[in-house]
Amino acid sequence: MLATNIVSLLLLVVSLLARPARTASRDPKKPNFVYIIADDQDYATANPDIMPHLHKWLSQHGTNYTHFYTPMSVCCPSRVGFLRSQHGHSHNVTNVVLPFGGWTRFVAQGYRKDWLPTWLQSAGYNTYYTGKLMNGNTVTNWKTSPVLGFNRSALLSDPQTYVYKNASYAIDGTKLVSYPGNYSTDTVRDFGLEYLDEAASHDKPFFVGIAPIGPHAQTETVNGVSTFTDPVPADRHRNLFADHVAPRKANFNPVNASGASYVKDIARLNDTVVDYLDEWYRNRLRALQAVDELVDAVLRKAEQLGILDNTYFIYTSDNGYTVGEHRRQPGKTTGYEEDIRVPLIVRGPGISANVRNDGVHSNIDLAATIVHHAGAEPSYDLDGRVIDWSAGDKPSSRESGTATHHLSEFWVSQVGGAVEGKYSDLGGKILSKYRTLRIKEQGHDYAYTLWCTGERELYDMTIDSVQMNNLLSNSTLYGALNSTDSESERLASRLDSLLLNLKACQGSLCRRLWYNLFPEGEVQSLDQALQSKWDDYFDRLPRVHFDNCRDGYFPTEELPAWRNELVHVNKSLIAAA
Ligand SMILES: *[C@@H]1O[C@H](CO)[C@@H](O)[C@H](O)[C@H]1NC(C)=O
Ligand SMILES: *[C@@H]1O[C@H](CO)[C@@H](O)[C@H](O)[C@H]1NC(C)=O
Ligand SMILES: *[C@@H]1O[C@H](CO)[C@@H](O)[C@H](O)[C@H]1NC(C)=O
Ligand SMILES: *[C@@H]1O[C@H](CO)[C@@H](O)[C@H](O)[C@H]1NC(C)=O
Ligand SMILES: *[C@@H]1O[C@H](CO)[C@@H](O)[C@H](O)[C@H]1NC(C)=O
Ligand SMILES: *[C@@H]1O[C@H](CO)[C@@H](O)[C@H](O)[C@H]1NC(C)=O
Ligand SMILES: *[C@@H]1O[C@H](CO)[C@@H](O)[C@H](O)[C@H]1NC(C)=O
Ligand SMILES: *[C@@H]1O[C@H](CO)[C@@H](O)[C@H](O)[C@H]1NC(C)=O
Ligand SMILES: *[C@@H]1O[C@H](CO)[C@@H](O)[C@H](O)[C@H]1NC(C)=O
Ligand SMILES: *[C@@H]1O[C@H](CO)[C@@H](O)[C@H](O)[C@H]1NC(C)=O
C-alpha cells in the first residue's frame, strides 16, 4: 500500500513537471500556421521526383521527418487525433462511420468546442479551414450540427467528398455549393489562397488548414453503399508517369506469404491484378500532382504576402497506404509500415533549412506543438509531445530522449474502404483490431503488433524494413513470452509491457516511455531494459489481451489494464525516502 502511494505520488510530481510551460502573453508576433494535409498519402510518395514543389519549398527550407506516424490508420480517427492531440483510446472516435466514428460521433463526444481551432481562437488567432475535415460532414448536417471554431470554412461534404469532379462544400456554415466539372484539389487550393489573403489582411495571427482529397480513391456512394475506384487525376496530369509501376519492394506480391493471418491468407496476385494495381498506383502519382501544385501556389502566395518568415508551413497526410505490399489490395488500416508512416515536412521560424529528422514522432504531436508555439491553453493535458522543430536530426531537447516511440491502434471490424478497388474481395478480411508499437532508439528499430486474434508480430526494422520476417512467427496465440526462451521473446516481453502501459495512457504518461514501468528511473532505454536482471520483472507482467475482434473500443474487453501496483519498486529506495 505504502509503495503504491509513493508510486502515485511520484507519478503526480512527474506529470506536473512534465506539463509544457506556456506563454500566456498575447504577443503580436505570434507565428501563423498553414497546415496542408493530403488524404491517404503514404510516406514513400512524398519525394522530389513525384512532388518537386514540396521538396523545393518545404524540404529545402525546413525539416523532413522520416519517421512520422499516424495513431490510427484511417481518415477520421487520425484527423481527430491531430485536432485533439490524443490517441484513439483517449478520444474514442475509432471509425469513419457511426456508431463509433465520423463527425456525429465527434459532436456526441462533446469535442466541438474543445479542439485545436477553438484553443487557437482563444489564444487570439483567426482560423480558416478548407477541404476535408472528417468523414460524416454531410450535405445535410452542416446546418444541424455545424462545425465550430473556424472564422471561415469551406468543407467538403458527403456523399460528394471523394468525387473528384463534383465536390460539394459547406461554406461558413451558411450555404452549400457544388462545383460540377471543377477539379476538387484545385477548388480547395483556391479557397486556401482566398483564406490566406484574408488572414494576412488582419492584424491577428492565423491558422489556415488546407485539406485536399488527393490521392484518396474516387468514392461514390449510392444508397449508403460506397464504391472505391482509383483516384481521378486532373485532366492536365492524366498522361504523366506512364512508365511507373508500384514499387517492387521485397514485400510486393511476395512469393512466400508472411505475417499475421490478415495478410498471410491472401493468395498471390496474378498479372491481371498486378496490372490493375500498377494503374491504381500511377493514378495516385497523377492525383498528387495537383496537390504538389497546391503547395506551390500556397507558398508563392505566402511569399507575395510577405508572411514566409513568421509562418510555419506543415505538410502531412492522415494515414499511409498500400498498393500490393503483402499481396494486399489498395487500402490502409493495418499497423504495417506502409499504412502508418506518413510524410511530415515543416518550415518556419527557427527551423534550419534542408534538415532531416529521423526521430519517431506522431500525428498527435502536431497540435501539441502548434499549441505550444501559439501560447494556446487546451482544457486538458494533451497526449501528444511538443516536437522540437529546431532540433534537426538531434534528439528532442524537451522531454529529452523520449521521442523514440509511437503507438498505432485500431478497433474496426467493418469499415467502408478498408480494402478498395474491384478486386477488394481478394484483399484480406475486414477485421482489424490491433495495437502496434514502433520503437527506435540507440540502434534499435522495432515494430511490434498484437492482433485481436492473439497473433503477435515483431520485426527488426534495421534489417527487415519490409516486414517479411516475423520474429514471433512460431508463437502460439497469446503465447507466453519468456525471456529465457529466445531473444525474440526477451524483446517482445519488453515491448508488450510498454504496450500495456501505453494502451490506455492519457496526458503526460503517454509521452514518457519507461516511466510507468520504472518510476525511479532505473531503466530509461531499451538497452537497459534488455539486461537479464529485468527478465523476471518483464516475464511476470500481465500480457496485452483482446477478448474479441468486434467493432469498437471497449476497455473492459481488453483487460488487464495497466495498474500502478504492477510497477517495479526498488524497496531499498523506498525505505531510504
Ligand atoms: C525526405 O527524406 C527522405 C529520406 O532521405 C527522402 O527519401 C525523401 O525524398 C524526402 N522528401 C522530400 C519531399 O524531400
Ligand atoms: C474570428 O473569430 C473569433 C472568435 O469568434 C473572433 O474573436 C474574431 O474577431 C474573428 N476574427 C475575424 C477577423 O472576424
Ligand atoms: C453533382 O452533384 C450534385 C449533388 O450535390 C448532383 O445533383 C449533380 O447531378 C452532380 N452533377 C454531376 C455533373 O455529376
Ligand atoms: C471552377 O471552374 C471555373 C472554370 O474554370 C472557374 O472560373 C471557377 O473559378 C472555378 N471555381 C472554383 C471554386 O474553383
Ligand atoms: C520461399 O520459401 C521457400 C521454401 O521455404 C524458399 O526455398 C524460398 O527461398 C523462398 N523464396 C523467397 C523469395 O523468399
Ligand atoms: C486473375 O485473378 C482475378 C481475381 O481472382 C481473376 O478474376 C482473373 O480471372 C485472374 N486472371 C487470370 C488470367 O487468371
Ligand atoms: C520457427 O520454427 C522453425 C522450426 O523449428 C525454425 O526453423 C524457425 O527458425 C523458427 N522461426 C523463428 C522466427 O523463430
Ligand atoms: C521462463 O522459463 C524459465 C526456464 O524454462 C522458467 O524457469 C521460468 O519460470 C519461466 N518464467 C515465467 C515467468 O514463466
Ligand atoms: C468508447 O466508446 C465505447 C462505445 O461507445 C464505450 O463503451 C467505451 O466505454 C468508450 N471507451 C472509453 C475509454 O471511453
Ligand atoms: C535499488 O537501488 C539501490 C540503491 O540505488 C541499488 O543499489 C540497487 O541496485 C537497486 N536494485 C534494483 C533491483 O534496481
Side-chain angles (χ1 to χ4, degrees), residues 38-47 51 215 247 249 281 284-285 288 317 319-323 325 337-343:
D39 200 324
D40 280 5
Q41 182 181 11
D42 58 307
Y43 168 77
T45 51
N47 70 57
M51 302 193 71
K249 298 182 294 185
Y281 179 78
R284 283 175 58 76
L285 303 189
L288 279 168
S317 168
N319 50 257
Y321 205 76
T322 186
V323 181
E325 285 96 355
E337 199 76 348
E338 289 83 7
D339 289 16
I340 62 172
R341 190 179 182 193
V342 292

PDB file of all heavy atoms in Angstrom, residues 38-47 51 215 247 249 281 284-285 288 317 319-323 325 337-343:
ATOM      1  N   ALA A  38      -2.682  16.034 -46.968  1.00  0.00           N
ATOM      2  CA  ALA A  38      -3.137  15.184 -48.068  1.00  0.00           C
ATOM      3  C   ALA A  38      -3.956  14.041 -47.477  1.00  0.00           C
ATOM      4  O   ALA A  38      -3.954  13.818 -46.271  1.00  0.00           O
ATOM      5  CB  ALA A  38      -1.937  14.643 -48.837  1.00  0.00           C
ATOM      6  N   ASP A  39      -4.652  13.317 -48.338  1.00  0.00           N
ATOM      7  CA  ASP A  39      -5.543  12.261 -47.870  1.00  0.00           C
ATOM      8  C   ASP A  39      -5.036  10.908 -48.365  1.00  0.00           C
ATOM      9  O   ASP A  39      -4.929  10.696 -49.574  1.00  0.00           O
ATOM     10  CB  ASP A  39      -6.953  12.539 -48.414  1.00  0.00           C
ATOM     11  CG  ASP A  39      -8.013  11.820 -47.622  1.00  0.00           C
ATOM     12  OD1 ASP A  39      -7.758  10.681 -47.172  1.00  0.00           O
ATOM     13  OD2 ASP A  39      -9.103  12.393 -47.457  1.00  0.00           O
ATOM     14  N   ASP A  40      -4.681  10.019 -47.447  1.00  0.00           N
ATOM     15  CA  ASP A  40      -4.195   8.679 -47.824  1.00  0.00           C
ATOM     16  C   ASP A  40      -2.850   8.705 -48.553  1.00  0.00           C
ATOM     17  O   ASP A  40      -2.548   7.790 -49.317  1.00  0.00           O
ATOM     18  CB  ASP A  40      -5.192   7.946 -48.748  1.00  0.00           C
ATOM     19  CG  ASP A  40      -6.353   7.322 -48.004  1.00  0.00           C
ATOM     20  OD1 ASP A  40      -6.466   7.508 -46.784  1.00  0.00           O
ATOM     21  OD2 ASP A  40      -7.161   6.621 -48.658  1.00  0.00           O
ATOM     22  N   GLN A  41      -2.042   9.702 -48.315  1.00  0.00           N
ATOM     23  CA  GLN A  41      -0.715   9.679 -48.951  1.00  0.00           C
ATOM     24  C   GLN A  41       0.276   8.956 -48.047  1.00  0.00           C
ATOM     25  O   GLN A  41       0.479   9.335 -46.901  1.00  0.00           O
ATOM     26  CB  GLN A  41      -0.189  11.094 -49.231  1.00  0.00           C
ATOM     27  CG  GLN A  41       1.173  11.032 -49.935  1.00  0.00           C
ATOM     28  CD  GLN A  41       1.774  12.396 -50.220  1.00  0.00           C
ATOM     29  OE1 GLN A  41       1.301  13.418 -49.728  1.00  0.00           O
ATOM     30  NE2 GLN A  41       2.825  12.406 -51.031  1.00  0.00           N
ATOM     31  N   ASP A  42       0.911   7.919 -48.580  1.00  0.00           N
ATOM     32  CA  ASP A  42       1.939   7.200 -47.833  1.00  0.00           C
ATOM     33  C   ASP A  42       3.245   7.976 -47.865  1.00  0.00           C
ATOM     34  O   ASP A  42       3.458   8.856 -48.711  1.00  0.00           O
ATOM     35  CB  ASP A  42       2.135   5.807 -48.428  1.00  0.00           C
ATOM     36  CG  ASP A  42       2.507   5.876 -49.897  1.00  0.00           C
ATOM     37  OD1 ASP A  42       1.776   6.530 -50.672  1.00  0.00           O
ATOM     38  OD2 ASP A  42       3.546   5.313 -50.282  1.00  0.00           O
ATOM     39  N   TYR A  43       4.135   7.623 -46.953  1.00  0.00           N
ATOM     40  CA  TYR A  43       5.424   8.310 -46.812  1.00  0.00           C
ATOM     41  C   TYR A  43       6.243   8.281 -48.098  1.00  0.00           C
ATOM     42  O   TYR A  43       6.824   9.287 -48.506  1.00  0.00           O
ATOM     43  CB  TYR A  43       6.196   7.631 -45.671  1.00  0.00           C
ATOM     44  CG  TYR A  43       7.637   8.020 -45.585  1.00  0.00           C
ATOM     45  CD1 TYR A  43       8.017   9.242 -45.037  1.00  0.00           C
ATOM     46  CD2 TYR A  43       8.639   7.164 -46.052  1.00  0.00           C
ATOM     47  CE1 TYR A  43       9.349   9.605 -44.949  1.00  0.00           C
ATOM     48  CE2 TYR A  43       9.976   7.520 -45.967  1.00  0.00           C
ATOM     49  CZ  TYR A  43      10.322   8.745 -45.426  1.00  0.00           C
ATOM     50  OH  TYR A  43      11.640   9.106 -45.347  1.00  0.00           O
ATOM     51  N   ALA A  44       6.266   7.120 -48.769  1.00  0.00           N
ATOM     52  CA  ALA A  44       7.215   6.942 -49.875  1.00  0.00           C
ATOM     53  C   ALA A  44       6.929   7.834 -51.079  1.00  0.00           C
ATOM     54  O   ALA A  44       7.829   8.135 -51.860  1.00  0.00           O
ATOM     55  CB  ALA A  44       7.240   5.471 -50.310  1.00  0.00           C
ATOM     56  N   THR A  45       5.690   8.259 -51.248  1.00  0.00           N
ATOM     57  CA  THR A  45       5.370   9.067 -52.433  1.00  0.00           C
ATOM     58  C   THR A  45       5.710  10.543 -52.245  1.00  0.00           C
ATOM     59  O   THR A  45       5.620  11.319 -53.200  1.00  0.00           O
ATOM     60  CB  THR A  45       3.884   8.940 -52.817  1.00  0.00           C
ATOM     61  OG1 THR A  45       3.092   9.188 -51.655  1.00  0.00           O
ATOM     62  CG2 THR A  45       3.576   7.557 -53.369  1.00  0.00           C
ATOM     63  N   ALA A  46       6.080  10.941 -51.023  1.00  0.00           N
ATOM     64  CA  ALA A  46       6.455  12.350 -50.798  1.00  0.00           C
ATOM     65  C   ALA A  46       7.948  12.500 -51.063  1.00  0.00           C
ATOM     66  O   ALA A  46       8.744  12.630 -50.134  1.00  0.00           O
ATOM     67  CB  ALA A  46       6.103  12.769 -49.380  1.00  0.00           C
ATOM     68  N   ASN A  47       8.317  12.451 -52.324  1.00  0.00           N
ATOM     69  CA  ASN A  47       9.739  12.585 -52.659  1.00  0.00           C
ATOM     70  C   ASN A  47       9.916  13.560 -53.828  1.00  0.00           C
ATOM     71  O   ASN A  47       8.944  13.909 -54.507  1.00  0.00           O
ATOM     72  CB  ASN A  47      10.351  11.205 -52.942  1.00  0.00           C
ATOM     73  CG  ASN A  47       9.853  10.610 -54.235  1.00  0.00           C
ATOM     74  OD1 ASN A  47       9.986  11.211 -55.303  1.00  0.00           O
ATOM     75  ND2 ASN A  47       9.250   9.432 -54.157  1.00  0.00           N
ATOM     76  N   MET A  51       6.956  14.929 -56.090  1.00  0.00           N
ATOM     77  CA  MET A  51       6.461  16.213 -55.592  1.00  0.00           C
ATOM     78  C   MET A  51       7.610  17.234 -55.530  1.00  0.00           C
ATOM     79  O   MET A  51       8.063  17.610 -54.439  1.00  0.00           O
ATOM     80  CB  MET A  51       5.793  16.022 -54.225  1.00  0.00           C
ATOM     81  CG  MET A  51       4.643  15.022 -54.289  1.00  0.00           C
ATOM     82  SD  MET A  51       3.595  15.020 -52.819  1.00  0.00           S
ATOM     83  CE  MET A  51       2.732  16.588 -52.949  1.00  0.00           C
ATOM     84  N   PRO A 215      -4.311  11.914 -52.569  1.00  0.00           N
ATOM     85  CA  PRO A 215      -4.628  10.975 -53.635  1.00  0.00           C
ATOM     86  C   PRO A 215      -5.607   9.869 -53.218  1.00  0.00           C
ATOM     87  O   PRO A 215      -5.466   8.712 -53.611  1.00  0.00           O
ATOM     88  CB  PRO A 215      -3.261  10.367 -53.946  1.00  0.00           C
ATOM     89  CG  PRO A 215      -2.607  10.271 -52.584  1.00  0.00           C
ATOM     90  CD  PRO A 215      -3.148  11.427 -51.779  1.00  0.00           C
ATOM     91  N   PRO A 247       6.091   0.280 -56.552  1.00  0.00           N
ATOM     92  CA  PRO A 247       7.462  -0.152 -56.230  1.00  0.00           C
ATOM     93  C   PRO A 247       7.529  -1.650 -55.933  1.00  0.00           C
ATOM     94  O   PRO A 247       6.710  -2.179 -55.177  1.00  0.00           O
ATOM     95  CB  PRO A 247       7.815   0.672 -54.989  1.00  0.00           C
ATOM     96  CG  PRO A 247       6.915   1.862 -55.047  1.00  0.00           C
ATOM     97  CD  PRO A 247       5.652   1.396 -55.701  1.00  0.00           C
ATOM     98  N   LYS A 249       9.109  -3.654 -54.017  1.00  0.00           N
ATOM     99  CA  LYS A 249       9.869  -3.961 -52.813  1.00  0.00           C
ATOM    100  C   LYS A 249       9.759  -5.460 -52.539  1.00  0.00           C
ATOM    101  O   LYS A 249       8.906  -6.144 -53.106  1.00  0.00           O
ATOM    102  CB  LYS A 249       9.302  -3.176 -51.626  1.00  0.00           C
ATOM    103  CG  LYS A 249       9.402  -1.672 -51.792  1.00  0.00           C
ATOM    104  CD  LYS A 249       8.873  -0.941 -50.567  1.00  0.00           C
ATOM    105  CE  LYS A 249       7.393  -1.131 -50.349  1.00  0.00           C
ATOM    106  NZ  LYS A 249       6.832  -0.353 -49.258  1.00  0.00           N
ATOM    107  N   TYR A 281      -1.754   2.743 -58.819  1.00  0.00           N
ATOM    108  CA  TYR A 281      -0.591   3.475 -58.276  1.00  0.00           C
ATOM    109  C   TYR A 281      -0.265   4.699 -59.139  1.00  0.00           C
ATOM    110  O   TYR A 281      -0.033   5.793 -58.628  1.00  0.00           O
ATOM    111  CB  TYR A 281       0.616   2.526 -58.193  1.00  0.00           C
ATOM    112  CG  TYR A 281       1.856   3.192 -57.666  1.00  0.00           C
ATOM    113  CD1 TYR A 281       2.018   3.437 -56.303  1.00  0.00           C
ATOM    114  CD2 TYR A 281       2.873   3.596 -58.531  1.00  0.00           C
ATOM    115  CE1 TYR A 281       3.155   4.064 -55.816  1.00  0.00           C
ATOM    116  CE2 TYR A 281       4.015   4.223 -58.045  1.00  0.00           C
ATOM    117  CZ  TYR A 281       4.153   4.450 -56.696  1.00  0.00           C
ATOM    118  OH  TYR A 281       5.278   5.073 -56.212  1.00  0.00           O
ATOM    119  N   ARG A 284      -2.491   7.454 -58.413  1.00  0.00           N
ATOM    120  CA  ARG A 284      -2.134   8.133 -57.160  1.00  0.00           C
ATOM    121  C   ARG A 284      -1.062   9.206 -57.430  1.00  0.00           C
ATOM    122  O   ARG A 284      -1.174  10.335 -56.963  1.00  0.00           O
ATOM    123  CB  ARG A 284      -1.613   7.121 -56.121  1.00  0.00           C
ATOM    124  CG  ARG A 284      -2.725   6.315 -55.479  1.00  0.00           C
ATOM    125  CD  ARG A 284      -2.187   5.230 -54.549  1.00  0.00           C
ATOM    126  NE  ARG A 284      -1.343   5.696 -53.457  1.00  0.00           N
ATOM    127  CZ  ARG A 284      -1.785   6.288 -52.343  1.00  0.00           C
ATOM    128  NH1 ARG A 284      -3.094   6.520 -52.189  1.00  0.00           N
ATOM    129  NH2 ARG A 284      -0.946   6.652 -51.396  1.00  0.00           N
ATOM    130  N   LEU A 285      -0.052   8.821 -58.201  1.00  0.00           N
ATOM    131  CA  LEU A 285       1.002   9.796 -58.503  1.00  0.00           C
ATOM    132  C   LEU A 285       0.432  10.991 -59.275  1.00  0.00           C
ATOM    133  O   LEU A 285       0.797  12.143 -59.031  1.00  0.00           O
ATOM    134  CB  LEU A 285       2.122   9.144 -59.322  1.00  0.00           C
ATOM    135  CG  LEU A 285       2.802   7.917 -58.718  1.00  0.00           C
ATOM    136  CD1 LEU A 285       4.025   7.527 -59.562  1.00  0.00           C
ATOM    137  CD2 LEU A 285       3.208   8.139 -57.268  1.00  0.00           C
ATOM    138  N   LEU A 288      -1.519  13.250 -57.108  1.00  0.00           N
ATOM    139  CA  LEU A 288      -0.632  14.026 -56.228  1.00  0.00           C
ATOM    140  C   LEU A 288      -0.068  15.261 -56.922  1.00  0.00           C
ATOM    141  O   LEU A 288       0.414  16.187 -56.264  1.00  0.00           O
ATOM    142  CB  LEU A 288       0.519  13.142 -55.726  1.00  0.00           C
ATOM    143  CG  LEU A 288       0.164  12.249 -54.538  1.00  0.00           C
ATOM    144  CD1 LEU A 288       1.261  11.210 -54.300  1.00  0.00           C
ATOM    145  CD2 LEU A 288      -0.057  13.097 -53.277  1.00  0.00           C
ATOM    146  N   SER A 317      -0.044  13.938 -44.016  1.00  0.00           N
ATOM    147  CA  SER A 317      -1.151  13.134 -44.539  1.00  0.00           C
ATOM    148  C   SER A 317      -1.818  12.454 -43.349  1.00  0.00           C
ATOM    149  O   SER A 317      -1.216  12.324 -42.287  1.00  0.00           O
ATOM    150  CB  SER A 317      -0.589  12.095 -45.511  1.00  0.00           C
ATOM    151  OG  SER A 317      -1.560  11.115 -45.831  1.00  0.00           O
ATOM    152  N   ASN A 319      -3.095   9.228 -43.149  1.00  0.00           N
ATOM    153  CA  ASN A 319      -2.645   7.844 -42.953  1.00  0.00           C
ATOM    154  C   ASN A 319      -1.897   7.409 -44.196  1.00  0.00           C
ATOM    155  O   ASN A 319      -1.958   8.075 -45.233  1.00  0.00           O
ATOM    156  CB  ASN A 319      -3.828   6.892 -42.667  1.00  0.00           C
ATOM    157  CG  ASN A 319      -4.958   7.022 -43.672  1.00  0.00           C
ATOM    158  OD1 ASN A 319      -5.992   7.627 -43.386  1.00  0.00           O
ATOM    159  ND2 ASN A 319      -4.761   6.473 -44.866  1.00  0.00           N
ATOM    160  N   GLY A 320      -1.195   6.288 -44.069  1.00  0.00           N
ATOM    161  CA  GLY A 320      -0.447   5.779 -45.214  1.00  0.00           C
ATOM    162  C   GLY A 320      -1.341   4.960 -46.130  1.00  0.00           C
ATOM    163  O   GLY A 320      -2.582   5.075 -46.086  1.00  0.00           O
ATOM    164  N   TYR A 321      -0.722   4.124 -46.953  1.00  0.00           N
ATOM    165  CA  TYR A 321      -1.486   3.427 -47.986  1.00  0.00           C
ATOM    166  C   TYR A 321      -0.657   2.285 -48.542  1.00  0.00           C
ATOM    167  O   TYR A 321       0.564   2.383 -48.631  1.00  0.00           O
ATOM    168  CB  TYR A 321      -1.813   4.407 -49.116  1.00  0.00           C
ATOM    169  CG  TYR A 321      -3.026   4.037 -49.924  1.00  0.00           C
ATOM    170  CD1 TYR A 321      -4.308   4.246 -49.427  1.00  0.00           C
ATOM    171  CD2 TYR A 321      -2.891   3.468 -51.195  1.00  0.00           C
ATOM    172  CE1 TYR A 321      -5.433   3.919 -50.166  1.00  0.00           C
ATOM    173  CE2 TYR A 321      -4.012   3.138 -51.944  1.00  0.00           C
ATOM    174  CZ  TYR A 321      -5.280   3.368 -51.424  1.00  0.00           C
ATOM    175  OH  TYR A 321      -6.384   3.048 -52.152  1.00  0.00           O
ATOM    176  N   THR A 322      -1.352   1.222 -48.925  1.00  0.00           N
ATOM    177  CA  THR A 322      -0.672   0.100 -49.560  1.00  0.00           C
ATOM    178  C   THR A 322      -1.219  -0.114 -50.972  1.00  0.00           C
ATOM    179  O   THR A 322      -2.406   0.111 -51.235  1.00  0.00           O
ATOM    180  CB  THR A 322      -0.871  -1.201 -48.749  1.00  0.00           C
ATOM    181  OG1 THR A 322      -0.080  -2.243 -49.330  1.00  0.00           O
ATOM    182  CG2 THR A 322      -2.328  -1.650 -48.755  1.00  0.00           C
ATOM    183  N   VAL A 323      -0.347  -0.505 -51.878  1.00  0.00           N
ATOM    184  CA  VAL A 323      -0.783  -0.986 -53.191  1.00  0.00           C
ATOM    185  C   VAL A 323       0.059  -2.229 -53.479  1.00  0.00           C
ATOM    186  O   VAL A 323       1.154  -2.119 -54.012  1.00  0.00           O
ATOM    187  CB  VAL A 323      -0.599   0.065 -54.301  1.00  0.00           C
ATOM    188  CG1 VAL A 323      -1.103  -0.476 -55.645  1.00  0.00           C
ATOM    189  CG2 VAL A 323      -1.324   1.360 -53.980  1.00  0.00           C
ATOM    190  N   GLU A 325       1.605  -4.395 -51.388  1.00  0.00           N
ATOM    191  CA  GLU A 325       2.509  -4.950 -50.381  1.00  0.00           C
ATOM    192  C   GLU A 325       1.792  -6.074 -49.639  1.00  0.00           C
ATOM    193  O   GLU A 325       0.592  -5.985 -49.360  1.00  0.00           O
ATOM    194  CB  GLU A 325       2.958  -3.865 -49.391  1.00  0.00           C
ATOM    195  CG  GLU A 325       3.989  -2.892 -49.966  1.00  0.00           C
ATOM    196  CD  GLU A 325       3.388  -1.602 -50.511  1.00  0.00           C
ATOM    197  OE1 GLU A 325       2.132  -1.503 -50.537  1.00  0.00           O
ATOM    198  OE2 GLU A 325       4.157  -0.715 -50.915  1.00  0.00           O
ATOM    199  N   GLU A 337       4.005  -0.837 -41.868  1.00  0.00           N
ATOM    200  CA  GLU A 337       4.664   0.455 -42.070  1.00  0.00           C
ATOM    201  C   GLU A 337       4.031   1.290 -43.194  1.00  0.00           C
ATOM    202  O   GLU A 337       3.874   2.502 -43.063  1.00  0.00           O
ATOM    203  CB  GLU A 337       6.147   0.183 -42.353  1.00  0.00           C
ATOM    204  CG  GLU A 337       7.062   1.365 -42.147  1.00  0.00           C
ATOM    205  CD  GLU A 337       7.371   1.710 -40.680  1.00  0.00           C
ATOM    206  OE1 GLU A 337       6.704   1.178 -39.748  1.00  0.00           O
ATOM    207  OE2 GLU A 337       8.271   2.532 -40.469  1.00  0.00           O
ATOM    208  N   GLU A 338       3.663   0.651 -44.292  1.00  0.00           N
ATOM    209  CA  GLU A 338       3.071   1.405 -45.411  1.00  0.00           C
ATOM    210  C   GLU A 338       1.815   2.157 -44.960  1.00  0.00           C
ATOM    211  O   GLU A 338       1.525   3.232 -45.478  1.00  0.00           O
ATOM    212  CB  GLU A 338       2.691   0.459 -46.567  1.00  0.00           C
ATOM    213  CG  GLU A 338       3.874  -0.112 -47.322  1.00  0.00           C
ATOM    214  CD  GLU A 338       4.487  -1.335 -46.647  1.00  0.00           C
ATOM    215  OE1 GLU A 338       3.908  -1.840 -45.653  1.00  0.00           O
ATOM    216  OE2 GLU A 338       5.561  -1.786 -47.099  1.00  0.00           O
ATOM    217  N   ASP A 339       1.077   1.555 -44.026  1.00  0.00           N
ATOM    218  CA  ASP A 339      -0.208   2.130 -43.615  1.00  0.00           C
ATOM    219  C   ASP A 339      -0.081   3.215 -42.555  1.00  0.00           C
ATOM    220  O   ASP A 339      -0.966   4.075 -42.442  1.00  0.00           O
ATOM    221  CB  ASP A 339      -1.127   1.036 -43.045  1.00  0.00           C
ATOM    222  CG  ASP A 339      -1.640   0.079 -44.107  1.00  0.00           C
ATOM    223  OD1 ASP A 339      -1.074   0.055 -45.216  1.00  0.00           O
ATOM    224  OD2 ASP A 339      -2.607  -0.656 -43.824  1.00  0.00           O
ATOM    225  N   ILE A 340       0.974   3.138 -41.748  1.00  0.00           N
ATOM    226  CA  ILE A 340       1.028   4.080 -40.613  1.00  0.00           C
ATOM    227  C   ILE A 340       2.067   5.194 -40.772  1.00  0.00           C
ATOM    228  O   ILE A 340       2.006   6.193 -40.070  1.00  0.00           O
ATOM    229  CB  ILE A 340       1.276   3.351 -39.264  1.00  0.00           C
ATOM    230  CG1 ILE A 340       2.617   2.618 -39.237  1.00  0.00           C
ATOM    231  CG2 ILE A 340       0.110   2.418 -38.949  1.00  0.00           C
ATOM    232  CD1 ILE A 340       2.965   2.048 -37.858  1.00  0.00           C
ATOM    233  N   ARG A 341       3.000   5.042 -41.703  1.00  0.00           N
ATOM    234  CA  ARG A 341       4.055   6.055 -41.829  1.00  0.00           C
ATOM    235  C   ARG A 341       3.647   7.073 -42.876  1.00  0.00           C
ATOM    236  O   ARG A 341       3.285   6.714 -43.993  1.00  0.00           O
ATOM    237  CB  ARG A 341       5.348   5.364 -42.236  1.00  0.00           C
ATOM    238  CG  ARG A 341       6.588   6.213 -42.187  1.00  0.00           C
ATOM    239  CD  ARG A 341       7.742   5.331 -42.590  1.00  0.00           C
ATOM    240  NE  ARG A 341       9.021   5.976 -42.565  1.00  0.00           N
ATOM    241  CZ  ARG A 341      10.101   5.442 -43.122  1.00  0.00           C
ATOM    242  NH1 ARG A 341      10.025   4.262 -43.743  1.00  0.00           N
ATOM    243  NH2 ARG A 341      11.244   6.062 -43.074  1.00  0.00           N
ATOM    244  N   VAL A 342       3.719   8.340 -42.524  1.00  0.00           N
ATOM    245  CA  VAL A 342       3.253   9.405 -43.420  1.00  0.00           C
ATOM    246  C   VAL A 342       4.301  10.515 -43.500  1.00  0.00           C
ATOM    247  O   VAL A 342       5.176  10.619 -42.642  1.00  0.00           O
ATOM    248  CB  VAL A 342       1.894   9.989 -42.944  1.00  0.00           C
ATOM    249  CG1 VAL A 342       0.791   8.961 -43.096  1.00  0.00           C
ATOM    250  CG2 VAL A 342       1.960  10.496 -41.514  1.00  0.00           C
ATOM    251  N   PRO A 343       4.200  11.356 -44.543  1.00  0.00           N
ATOM    252  CA  PRO A 343       5.147  12.464 -44.643  1.00  0.00           C
ATOM    253  C   PRO A 343       4.903  13.515 -43.567  1.00  0.00           C
ATOM    254  O   PRO A 343       3.759  13.729 -43.171  1.00  0.00           O
ATOM    255  CB  PRO A 343       4.857  13.064 -46.029  1.00  0.00           C
ATOM    256  CG  PRO A 343       3.654  12.392 -46.573  1.00  0.00           C
ATOM    257  CD  PRO A 343       3.257  11.289 -45.677  1.00  0.00           C
TER     258      PRO A 343
END
